[in-house]
Every structure is written in structure tokens, then in C-alpha cells.
Amino acid sequence: MAGSPRRTAGQRLQLPLLCLLLQGATAILFAVFVRYNHETDAALWHWHNHSNADNEFYFRYPSFQDVHTMIFVGFGFLMVFLQRYGFSSVGFTFLLAAFALQWSTLVQGFFHSFHGGHIHVGIERDALASSPLSPSPSQSPSMINADFCAGAVLISFGAILGKTGPAQLLLMALLEVVLFGLNEFVLLSLLGVKDAGGSMTIHAFGAYFGLVLSRVLYRPQLEKSKHRRGSVYHSDLFAMIGTIFLWIFWPSFNSAPTMLGDGQHRTALNTYYSLTASTLSTFALSALVGRDGRLDMVHIQNAALAGGVVVGTSAEMMLTPFGALAAGFLAGTVSTLGYKFFTPILESKFKVQDTCGVHNLHGMPGVLGALLGVLVAGLATHEAYGDGLESVFPLLAKGQRSAKSQAMHQLFGLFVTLIFASVGGSLGGLLLRLPFLDSPPDSQCYEDQIYWEVPGEHEDLAQGPLRAEEPETQA
Amino acid sequence: MAGSPRRTAGQRLQLPLLCLLLQGATAILFAVFVRYNHETDAALWHWHNHSNADNEFYFRYPSFQDVHTMIFVGFGFLMVFLQRYGFSSVGFTFLLAAFALQWSTLVQGFFHSFHGGHIHVGIERDALASSPLSPSPSQSPSMINADFCAGAVLISFGAILGKTGPAQLLLMALLEVVLFGLNEFVLLSLLGVKDAGGSMTIHAFGAYFGLVLSRVLYRPQLEKSKHRRGSVYHSDLFAMIGTIFLWIFWPSFNSAPTMLGDGQHRTALNTYYSLTASTLSTFALSALVGRDGRLDMVHIQNAALAGGVVVGTSAEMMLTPFGALAAGFLAGTVSTLGYKFFTPILESKFKVQDTCGVHNLHGMPGVLGALLGVLVAGLATHEAYGDGLESVFPLLAKGQRSAKSQAMHQLFGLFVTLIFASVGGSLGGLLLRLPFLDSPPDSQCYEDQIYWEVPGEHEDLAQGPLRAEEPETQA
Amino acid sequence: MAGSPRRTAGQRLQLPLLCLLLQGATAILFAVFVRYNHETDAALWHWHNHSNADNEFYFRYPSFQDVHTMIFVGFGFLMVFLQRYGFSSVGFTFLLAAFALQWSTLVQGFFHSFHGGHIHVGIERDALASSPLSPSPSQSPSMINADFCAGAVLISFGAILGKTGPAQLLLMALLEVVLFGLNEFVLLSLLGVKDAGGSMTIHAFGAYFGLVLSRVLYRPQLEKSKHRRGSVYHSDLFAMIGTIFLWIFWPSFNSAPTMLGDGQHRTALNTYYSLTASTLSTFALSALVGRDGRLDMVHIQNAALAGGVVVGTSAEMMLTPFGALAAGFLAGTVSTLGYKFFTPILESKFKVQDTCGVHNLHGMPGVLGALLGVLVAGLATHEAYGDGLESVFPLLAKGQRSAKSQAMHQLFGLFVTLIFASVGGSLGGLLLRLPFLDSPPDSQCYEDQIYWEVPGEHEDLAQGPLRAEEPETQA
């Protein structure tokens, strides 16, 4: 491998030892703390003499699997657009998310459902674990919430894609999962904020955590690797696999943790329409601002998804179908313009190198989504929600809060999230700059060969089939 | 970009302005007309004091998501087989379907559930909206039906793939969605025809609409682009992603709008077995007619799916498992032979240039499926269906029709569909031939570079990694 | 096509004639024997006056579709890693699985639910068909079980990938489906063994069947094709599509046939955590043993999945979340070390050429999973399971067996499986060595061009776009 410097033994051992250490630690913590909940424990479930059809599994598992697909297929392949970083994009997504699922089970368990010295796990919250302030099911340790937390980590990964080693990424996840859990606890349990699809807790948090972290890791010499920063034809098609799976399953993402019944149904519907509108506005704006009227794959792959982000807070509310379209249209527009005009400024003026443009897909649309939540919550009335108000805004239904007060809490939740993300990203950046950590040199960013065995490209198909005289390509 | 002519400002602006116009118009219509239905509205749902477990969401959403995957992943990637048209195939699928979902929500709403000046939306029909003649759930505005309509539009897209610009395609969708809704209304609501999986309303309609349209747009000089009409190794693998997702989820497609219970279960089962048989017959026939006994990817990618199309009408009926196998076998055979022998004739004699061979996958199998529906409906007896007759053939159960009369209505439904498709395709062709519309020249068909920024291929991986001296590939 | 010898007419006709023969035979057998069951027959379902919401469809179909995705997308694309065998990998997976679904419906029907001269089919067992010894739902003819059987066939395919023709593969499936059904019948119905996710019946059986078969087909001159045995950059990315879909849906695989309620929920949860641990141990070990500390795509694509295999037997039991992590960690470790150190020995010393390394992903983890099942079954107590014992270990609950006796039966089940697999693989090898069968020569292994029309690679994108002067690539 010409040009790629050999790493020292100390650098080479960082990834395997960190994996083993983290896995050992979580396994021990699982042994001590984690138990089946009432829905997954054979004795507890049957003790209550439930009908099997009542098991939460049947109401949550299809949505969970869609979310799971988004995390591993969606995020993983969306980042494959880089011509020389496909193995790392999909591989490190795989590694980071697998670790985050375990670690966030523990962290969220300590915050939300630590009873009798144990954390109880299932696909959704332990019914006994809801806080009096906020009975929202999104606040407990569960497979769905662990996947949500992994999503936030992967958003941050998008900002620094190609510029960090896998050991650094695992350390980032170690820190970010804790702060994600803390921020979510403050918002959902202490402030009584609604944020089912995570415009704030997932998208804005993950984006600004990653952007601040990328600022701390700023590389003035990054243009040494800029020839690898683009895509090639096939890598853009792989990325579209990620885009499309994210797009189709986003209604499941936003609705996965909402209250059952009309709430879940309405959330999916609103998200579905919002996404169609962000797709149309993305195509429109991309062609408008494109050279010679041409569409840009970067916009289509990313900005078309902004409609899912922007209704993350409000989709479970009575947003109305028109509201969903308008929100999606706005998000696609802002996101596309962000890619075209703001990302270069972010790098040149603010020294934030945002590989995937997470500021455009998750940052701005996440903030917009939080503000939309402020608006829609502030407009909530008993007429509009009827007896359904109890499910969506329990504190309003109980008369403990007015709609305006709920709106103010929502706004304060956004503020808290931005604080947590910024402080967390700064801490993360300092942690990742520890000098002994293995990090790619400026000239080797966006390059798989540092961390992966890459098959010899001179063997590529393009040279024609059936060349029996050629040497072996892979051991 | 050598060889690709620059478009005028007027041509370049057509796509963005049309996107903005259409999105603005649908948003206004949504604001005026579209409301949540009883299953998605907080107040209405709770007013009725339902159990949340009864919400239609839990019975329909998994099937809906499978259909959604088919539309965007299945159709999108199936058409990526062209070597230079991958961005357009998956990208224009994305755009067209996103628009069709909104527009068909409106059109189908006006036809099927316009009550009190409003259209009520949810994943499935509003229970109050069924017509007295036909209580089939497939006749109302819903996310599932909007996806079905998008499927028909994408089938038509397959016939003209590579030969039209995106603004032309949006205009086609604008027209086709209206005619789809009208045809479906006539069949399901006026004629009481059964067609759950849409052999007629989706496949035959979409195929003949597209084929007639392609005839009107006939390009005698298309061979100037024929070198781009084939596949390359990797583009065929991308296309197989589309094929396999269509294949595995087709049981969900046919069963998504059927009556709950045995109806949905039986429809999925019949489709599953029919597809296995069409796969075996496709492999058999492809090898039989192939040069030197070799299999042809075009057949495997397409004809193997014909088993899903051919039972679209009859899968919810008592087709029997053997009937499903026989139907699938026949469909795979006819479709493969169509690709081999009939597609060339269609172009040379009938001047129909059918890029994806939709005549073989959707046209002939759709007509066969309609005829199979005639046969199976005509054989319906009270013994075979018992009390289930009410669900499948409500008019028979009520004694308002004999089985023979139902069969005649089914046959008439096919006839009506072919008329609507032909007239619609002709109108569409005239519309798309408007001289000011941006359309690729004969020498630039099947080519992404007219409408997309395509990354420089000289940067391709095949030339080897780590070429630090090369210029930037993408801004 | 330089270098590829022409096949004789007799060789070319083997695939189509065998497809037609097998399809004809199964169709006739379906006509005579296969009927709808109580859940899919219109008259039978309505005769019992069920609520439609009780139809097994709503409890099983989402899991079934995940399994279906794993079989066709997961297995199919996982094997696309070979640089010149992508069409065959995904195409023959498609063909083999489509045939196995039909054939195993018949075979399993004869073993498990042959009543009144008929086999009754649905997505899950006919409730009337359970054996007194073992009421486990996994023992009856069903779409889920047919897919499971196809999985075993595809595992065996992985061992001989690239070294056999499609007609040989169909004959292998013809034999293996029968032995799979027989082995499963002995284990589940006669021995009362528990094996919901098939560590024994699917993974160990499929792997050792394929490995013994590969031994019988040993090719001493296979290195003539070794230059095609490796991957290229894009083929490894295609393979990751397979890996990720297998990984995310494995919780559905293991839980698809378990008892409803806590059983299904717990099985999914255990599998989810086991997979996260096998992913971390695979990354750790791959980097530890890799050249210069680099990760190997072969390990990530395969060994990370071993966590799903290893809990196939025990995931429905009270394994505990910690137990799931520990099992997954062990499986990922063993599997990665197997790829690195044991696969070369398997070829050089034992003359077993295992193309995909199924010994490492399915063989060893399957045996480990069986042994883990022995351990966890042996530790079962009334305290731990409460009234849920009836669902997981019905014979223990009825007092017909002690936990130790159940453990011994589990161990004996593994022994029986290995015998069936070895004898079956030997018979299969002798069958496939019949001299008139079409088989690729040693120099043409791992090569699509023998069986497929492959588009001319000189037309590849790498040479740049828009070459209007070039000849047509594909008819």
C-alpha cells in the first residue's frame, strides 16, 4: 500500500483493546444490573395472567424493526457516498451502533428505570417506570430508545466522517451516550417536554455535538485529502440505498415511541406527508441553484430527508396534514440552501468541517422542528384534542400547565439541548485530541486503507473478465 | 462534459418551477380539504372510546411499510440496470412517487370519501366512506392506496425510462393519477369489481398507459443512444436489489387492502406460492431460449416477478395453493418469452419503445391476472367460501349477483381499464410532446448527465487508490 | 467470451429441464395434497366465528417478512462478495430458495400435519396439527418454516459456492430439504428438543451438510481459479447489504416460531443483545489478528453475525441479558479466529474447500449454540419460569421430564443432527458427482460467464461517459 504510513503497535492495539474493555465492562454491568421486564420475563408475564396478544411486542416490534433498519442500513449506507471510505462508513456505523445499543441500555436505565437495584429491559418502557411528570413511553430503557441514542451518535459521526479513527469514535460514543441520556432525562422527565421523534434530543443534539467536536478537531491542512472527499458514480448509488431506507421508514421512527392508538397513527401520517413535501422542495431548489440547472446528488441524498427531522417534535400533535406539508417544504428548502451556500462558509469562516453536512440535515431542521413544536404546542386546545389531550399533553389535560406554558417549556428544552450538545461536543473534542490516540494524518483522511484490508483495485472488473494469468487478489 | 448540449434557461427552469407550482397547489388543496380521519384525529378517536389496540394502524401498518419499500426501493432500484441512468432511475422514481402520493390523496379523496366538504385521511379507508355497492377497503383515500397509485405511475415510467425529462414525467404523473383514480372508481365502486392487488387497476392500467404514451413519443432515431441502453456488471447487481425487495414484499402488496382476517392471510399465501413458481419457470425459460444456454439477467430481474402480478385480482379469492402455482408458472413463462421474442417486435413493428419491458412484466401478466380473476370469480360458490363469501364477494353473498354475473363484471372491468389506459396514454403523449417541454435529444437518452451533476469518472476507483496529485472531484 | 468452454446441448438443457420437472412435480403434489388451513380458508375461518384480529397473520406476518428478507436479501447479497460471481450468488440463491419453499411445504407437511390425506398451509402451524409430545409451533408446515428450511439449503450452498452448476444445486436442495424435514421431525416431535432459532436444525445441519458435501466434491486443482476467489471494493459493499439485513432481522428469525407473548419478546431481546456483543468481539479480534492491525471485511461480513446463530436454541429460554452478551462475545471470537486460522487448515488438512466459511459462521457457532441450549435447559427451574414453563418446556411443566433429562435430550439432538448432516452431505456429494451433471471446470470456478450473459466489461463506466461511437453492449 503505497503512501499509507504504518501505524505503531500502540496505535494498532487501541481499537481491539478498547473494544474488549468496553465489552467487558458492559457485560459486567449487565450481569449486575440488567433484568428482563414484565413483558419479557417468563414468570412475571405469566404471573399477571395476561393475554399474549397484549404483549407490547405486537404493538412496537414492527416499528422497532423499521428504526433498526434506519440505524444500520440507512445511516450506514448514506455515508458510503465517499469514494474511498465505504468500508469505514458502513463498518464503523456497525461498530459504533452496536456499542451504543448496549451502553445506552445501561445509561438510560440508570436515569429512567432504576428500581430495586435493577434495570428492566424490553422493547418498550417498563410500565412501572414512568415518572409522574411525564408518562411518555419514550423515557425508559428499551430497544427502541437504545436505537434512538445510536442514531444521535451516528449523526455526530457524520460531521467528523473520515477524519477520526475507530478508537476515537468509540470514545466519542462512550461520552455522547451519557450526555444524550442526561439531556433526554432533563427534557422528558424534568421539564415535561414532548419530543417523540427527537427533533431536539436526537437531531439537534447529535448535530451540534458533532459540529462542535469537529470544530475542536479542526484540520487546517485537510485539503491534502480533498481529492478523496467526493463521490464516484457507484458510491452515490450505494448512498441512495441509505437515503431511501431512511425516507421510507421515517414515519416509523417518529411514531415508534408515541402513545398507542391515534397518536402513533397520526405521527406516521404526518411524517409521511412532510417527507413528500421536502422531497419536492429539494428537487426544486437543487435544480434552481445547480450549475446549468442540474440536480446534485448530495441534496437529493440528504435534504429530501429533512421533512422527517422537522416534524420530529410535532408529528404526534394535531399538526394537520397541511401543516405537515408546509413544514416539510420549508425543511427541504432550508436544507438544500444550507448545502449549497452555508456549508462552505461553515468551513471557511467558522472552521467547522462537516463531512456529511449534518448541520443541513439534522442541525437546522432539528432546530426548526423544535420551534415548530413550540408553535403547535402553544396552539393546543381541548377542542382540538378532546380526550386525546391526556395522551399528547398530559400536564395540560390535568390542568397543571397552560398551552403557553407548555410552549415555553418546549423552547427551554431546545435551549438546554443546545447547551448539552455544545458542552458535550467540546469535551468530546478535547478527549479525542489526546495525543496518543490513533488518528489519520491530514493526507490520509477519507481513506479506508488505514484501517481496512482493501482488495487490490488493479484486479477490478473494469479490466475485463477471465484473466487466468493474474495473481491472487485476496488471501 | 463533452457532448452534452447546454439547455436554455427556459428548459432549466421547467423542473424547479413545476415542482414549486405542484407543491404549492397540493398544499393549498390540503389546507382546504384534507383532515384527519377517525383513526388519526385525537378528539374523534377518543370520543368513540376505542381500545387503542383496535386502531387500524396495527393491522395495516406492517403491510403498508412493505408496499412503501416496494415503491421506493423496489421500483427505484429495479430501473438502475441502465449503465448511465442510475441517478435518474432512482432519483426520478423518488420525485414522481413523492408527488403522486400527495396528488392521489386528493384525487382519490374526491372520488371516494368526500364528505362534508372534506377528505379524511389515514392509513386505510375511513370506515364511514364505503360505497353501498362495494365495501372493499381498497376504494378510499389512504396511504396504502396513494402508494398503489404511485406504483402505476412508476410502471408507466418504466416504459419511457431514459427518454423523457423530469418535468415531462411530473406532467405525466399529474394526468395519470387522475385517470388512475377515475378508473379505480369506475371498477371498484360502480362496477363492484374485485381487484385487491391491482392486476387491472395498477398493472394493466400502468403498463398500457405507458406503452401508448411511449408510442406517441416514438423516436425513430433512438439508436443514437443504444450504446447506453445496456447494463454493466454492477448496475445489474443494483437492479437485483430492486427485484428481490419487490419479490419478497409482493405478498404484502396484494394483501395490503383486503378484508382483515382470513382474506389478508390467504392473499399473502397465494402470492407467496405464485412467485416461487414464476421464479422457477423464468429460470427454465431463460436458459432454454438463451444463447448457449445462458441465463439473462433481464429475465431474472423482471419475469420472475410476474407471479405477483398475475394473482393480483384472484389472490384474495379461493384460488387454491395449486392454482397459485399454476398461475405463477404461466406468468413467468409468458413474461420471459415476451422479453425474448415480443419486445423486439413491439419496437420494430408497433413502434413502441419499451425500455424496461413493462409489457412483459405488467401488461401481459396484468391482463392474464384479470382473466384469472374472471375465472375464479365465476367459479365462486357458497360451499367454497361459507360465511366468508360476504368479505370477498359481498354482492354474491347478498344475492344481488350470481357468480357468472360477477365474472362478467370482472371482464368488463378489464375492458374499461384498457380503454382508460389507452385514452390516457394518448393524452399523456400529446401533453408530453408540447414543443417547449425539455426533453433529451435522441443522442442523449439513457444519460444522467443532462439532469444530474455526475462525479468525474476519471476519478474512479479502478485507477487505483491514493492519487494525491489529482484535482478535486466534487465541490 | 474467451476462455470459457462451450457446454454441450445435454449440459445446457439440464437446468431448464430440471426446473420444469421439479415445478411440474410439486404442482401436481400441491394439487393432490395441499389445502388452506383454518386461518386461510374462507369457509373454515368464518365457520369458527373468530374475530379477525385473532388471525395468526397479525402475530406472525411481520416476523415472517423479516425472515423472508434475510433469506433472499441477506443470504443472497452476503455471497456477492466474490468479484466475478455476483449474478450467480444472488441469482442461484433466488432459484434455490424459491424451489425449497415449495418442496419443504410438502416435505414438512407430510412429516407434521398430514391429516385426512391433506396438508394444511398457512403462515404458521395448523392449530390441530401439534404433536402431543411437542406443541411447539415450529414443527408444522408453514411459510415461516419453509423459509427456515431454505435457510439451511443456502448455508450449504455457501460451502460450495462457485464450484457447482445450478442443476447440481437444485438436486442438492431436493435431497437436503427431505433430510432437513426428517431431522427436524426427529428432534422436535420425537425427542421433544427445543430449537426455535435453529442452532441445530438450521445452522449446524446446513453447515455440516454443506461441508461434508464439499469434501466429497474436493477439487485438488481449484487454485486454477483462485484469482477469482477474492473480492473487489464494490463487491464487498454489496456483501455488506447482506450482512446488515441479516444482522438487523436476526431477532425476528429466532423469535418467528416461538410461543406468543413473553416468549417471542424475550427471544428477540436476547438475540438483539447477543448480536451487539458478537459485533464488538469480531472487530476486536479482526484487528488483533489482522496484518498491520487492519480489519478484514470477511470477518465483519460474517463473524459479526455469529451472535445470532449462537443463541438460536437458548434465546427463548431465560438466558438473561448478560448470558446473551456473553454468548455473543464468545461466538464472535470463535468465528473470527476460525476464519483466520482454521479455514486454511480445513482446506489443506481436511480437504474441505469452504468458500464462504460456513464452518465459522454456522458450524462452530451452531454447535456452541446447541451446547448453550443444553446448559440453559439443564438450569431451568419452576422459580425462574413460573407459569411460563409450560410454554418453553412443556414436558418439564407436566412433570414428564426433569431439567437434566431435557438437557440430555438437547445434547442427543445435536448428535442426531450431526449424523443426519454428515450422512446427508455424503449422499449429496455422491449425487452431485454423477458424471453427466454439468459442473464448472477447475479453471472456471467462481465465474458467472458459464451460466449467465454478462455485459461486456469494456463498456464499464470507468472509461468515461458519453462514448457515442461505441457498439451496443447488450441486445
Side-chain angles (χ1 to χ4, degrees), chain C residues 286-463:
Chain C
S286 182
L288 264 185
V289 303
R291 188 169 60 89
D292 208 17
R294 294 210 192 93
L295 296 160
D296 189 330
M297 261 290 164
V298 173
H299 305 157
I300 308 306
Q301 285 160 7
N302 292 280
L305 298 167
V309 176
V310 80
V311 296
T313 303
S314 58
E316 73 171 320
M317 306 175 188
M318 290 292 285
L319 176 61
T320 78
F322 164 74
L325 286 187
F329 182 85
L330 181 66
T333 303
V334 167
S335 186
T336 306
L337 295 177
Y339 274 100
K340 182 72 181 179
F341 300 111
F342 194 58
T343 294
I345 294 173
L346 205 62
E347 177 156 359
S348 59
K349 302 274 187 237
F350 296 93
K351 299 189 188 309
V352 177
Q353 293 155 329
D354 178 8
T355 311
C356 292
V358 302
H359 187 251
N360 309 304
L361 172 50
H362 302 280
M364 291 190 294
V367 169
L368 277 179
L371 297 176
L372 183 63
V374 171
L375 178 69
V376 182
L379 294 172
T381 62
H382 282 81
E383 286 77 29
Y385 290 81
D387 290 345
L389 192 61
E390 173 69 31
S391 305
V392 185
F393 296 113
L395 301 176
L396 267 69
K398 289 175 200 150
Q400 296 177 17
R401 250 183 213 174
S402 68
K404 275 194 181 160
S405 166
Q406 179 68 35
M408 286 300 106
H409 280 80
Q410 297 281 140
L411 188 61
F412 187 61
L414 173 61
F415 178 73
V416 169
T417 297
L418 295 176
I419 298 290
F420 269 109
S422 304
V423 172
S426 304
L427 289 175
L430 295 175
L431 179 67
L432 267 59
R433 287 184 67 177
L434 288 177
F436 56 85
L437 284 178
D438 181 31
S439 178
D442 289 342
S443 64
Q444 296 295 319
C445 288
Y446 317 118
E447 171 57 53
D448 276 336
Q449 290 212 33
I450 309 178
Y451 301 109
W452 298 85
E453 286 289 339
V454 176
E457 297 305 332
H458 57 287
E459 293 288 332
D460 198 282
L461 290 168
Q463 298 191 359

Side-chain angles (χ1 to χ4, degrees), chain A residues 1 4-7 12-13 15-17 19-20 22-23 26-28 30-31 34-37 39-43 45-47 52-53 55-58 61-62 64-65 68-69 72-73 77 80 82-88 90-92 94-95 97-99 101-102 105 121-124 142-144 146-147 166 170 232-235 238 241 245 448-457 459-462 464-474, chain C residues 1-4 58-60 62-63 66 81 83-84 224 226-238 240-241 243-245 247-253 255 259-266 268-270 272-273 275-281 283-285 287-288 290-298 300-301 304-305 315 317-322 325-326 329 382-389 391-392 443-444 447 449 457-458 460-463:
Chain A
M1 192 187 64
S4 181
R6 290 179 66 89
R7 293 180 293 160
R12 291 198 304 266
L13 286 173
L15 174 64
L17 294 186
C19 283
L20 294 175
L22 293 175
Q23 182 57 74
T26 54
I28 292 169
F30 263 60
V34 179
R35 298 292 179 272
Y36 295 125
N37 72 6
E39 311 248 352
T40 45
D41 185 282
W45 176 256
H46 286 273
W47 186 57
N52 282 327
N55 197 291
E56 195 85 359
F57 183 82
Y58 301 102
Y61 192 70
F64 159 72
Q65 273 297 4
H68 212 40
T69 305
F72 288 87
V73 179
F77 278 91
V80 172
L82 289 170
Q83 59 186 279
R84 292 295 306 167
Y85 208 62
F87 289 10
S88 301
V90 72
F92 296 161
F94 194 14
L95 173 65
F99 168 64
L101 297 185
Q102 293 181 37
T105 297
V121 293
I123 197 167
E124 253 295 328
S142 71
M143 292 156 67
I144 289 175
D147 270 76
L170 280 173
V232 289
Y233 196 75
H234 282 127
S235 70
F238 279 113
I241 297 174
F245 274 103
D448 277 335
Q449 290 212 35
I450 309 177
Y451 300 109
W452 297 86
E453 287 288 342
V454 176
E457 297 305 333
E459 293 289 332
D460 199 281
L461 290 169
L466 295 174
R467 296 138 303 143
E469 71 283 6
E470 289 192 17
E472 192 171 10
T473 57
Q474 201 177 27
Chain C
M1 191 187 62
S4 181
Y58 301 103
F59 300 95
R60 301 290 184 187
S63 302
D66 292 350
F81 76 99
Q83 60 185 279
R84 293 293 308 164
K224 288 182 183 174
K226 74 175 178 182
H227 57 289
R228 261 183 252 107
R229 204 169 168 177
S231 60
V232 289
Y233 196 75
H234 282 128
S235 70
D236 270 325
L237 287 173
F238 279 112
M240 280 303 286
I241 297 174
T243 296
I244 298 294
F245 273 103
W247 197 91
I248 57 176
F249 289 151
W250 215 297
S252 306
F253 189 93
S255 67
M259 294 300 274
L260 297 181
D262 63 298
Q264 201 163 7
H265 198 158
R266 182 172 57 249
L269 182 95
N270 286 332
Y272 170 89
Y273 284 118
L275 284 161
T276 61
S278 62
T279 303
L280 263 81
S281 63
F283 273 86
L285 271 288
L288 264 185
R291 188 169 60 89
D292 208 17
R294 294 210 192 93
L295 296 160
D296 189 330
M297 261 290 164
V298 173
I300 308 306
Q301 285 160 7
L305 298 167
M317 306 175 188
M318 290 292 285
L319 176 61
T320 78
F322 164 74
L325 286 187
F329 182 85
H382 282 81
E383 286 77 29
Y385 290 81
D387 290 345
L389 192 61
S391 305
V392 185
S443 64
Q444 296 295 319
E447 171 57 53
Q449 290 212 33
E457 297 305 332
H458 57 287
D460 198 282
L461 290 168
Q463 298 191 359

Side-chain angles (χ1 to χ4, degrees), chain B residues 156 160 168-180 182 205 208-217 418-435 437:
Chain B
S156 303
I160 56 174
Q168 288 181 301
L169 292 171
L170 280 172
L171 289 178
M172 178 189 80
L174 185 69
L175 174 70
E176 185 170 359
V177 167
V178 175
L179 288 167
F180 175 92
L182 187 59
F205 177 83
Y208 290 103
F209 186 102
L211 291 166
V212 171
L213 197 155
S214 185
R215 175 66 189 82
V216 178
L217 298 183
L418 295 176
I419 298 291
F420 269 110
S422 304
V423 172
S426 305
L427 289 175
L430 295 175
L431 179 68
L432 268 59
R433 287 184 67 178
L434 289 176
L437 284 178

Side-chain angles (χ1 to χ4, degrees), chain B residues 325-400:
Chain B
L325 287 186
F329 182 85
L330 180 66
T333 302
V334 167
S335 185
T336 306
L337 295 177
Y339 275 100
K340 182 73 182 180
F341 299 111
F342 194 58
T343 295
I345 295 172
L346 206 61
E347 176 155 1
S348 60
K349 302 275 186 234
F350 296 93
K351 298 189 189 309
V352 177
Q353 292 154 330
D354 178 8
T355 312
C356 292
V358 302
H359 187 252
N360 308 305
L361 173 50
H362 302 279
M364 291 189 294
V367 170
L368 277 180
L371 296 177
L372 182 62
V374 171
L375 178 69
V376 182
L379 294 173
T381 61
H382 282 81
E383 285 78 28
Y385 291 80
D387 289 346
L389 192 62
E390 173 71 31
S391 306
V392 184
F393 296 113
L395 301 176
L396 268 67
K398 291 174 198 149
Q400 296 176 17

Side-chain angles (χ1 to χ4, degrees), chain A residues 356-368:
Chain A
C356 293
V358 302
H359 187 252
N360 309 305
L361 174 49
H362 302 280
M364 291 189 294
V367 170
L368 278 180

Side-chain angles (χ1 to χ4, degrees), chain B residues 23-24 39 57 65 70 107 114 136 155 186 195 218 228 275 304 312 328 334 338 395 406 426 454 467:
Chain B
Q23 182 57 75
E39 311 248 352
F57 183 82
Q65 274 296 5
M70 291 172 72
V107 170
F114 195 64
S136 156
I155 291 167
V186 171
D195 193 25
Y218 179 67
R228 261 183 253 105
L275 284 160
V334 167
L395 301 176
Q406 180 68 33
S426 305
V454 176
R467 295 140 304 142

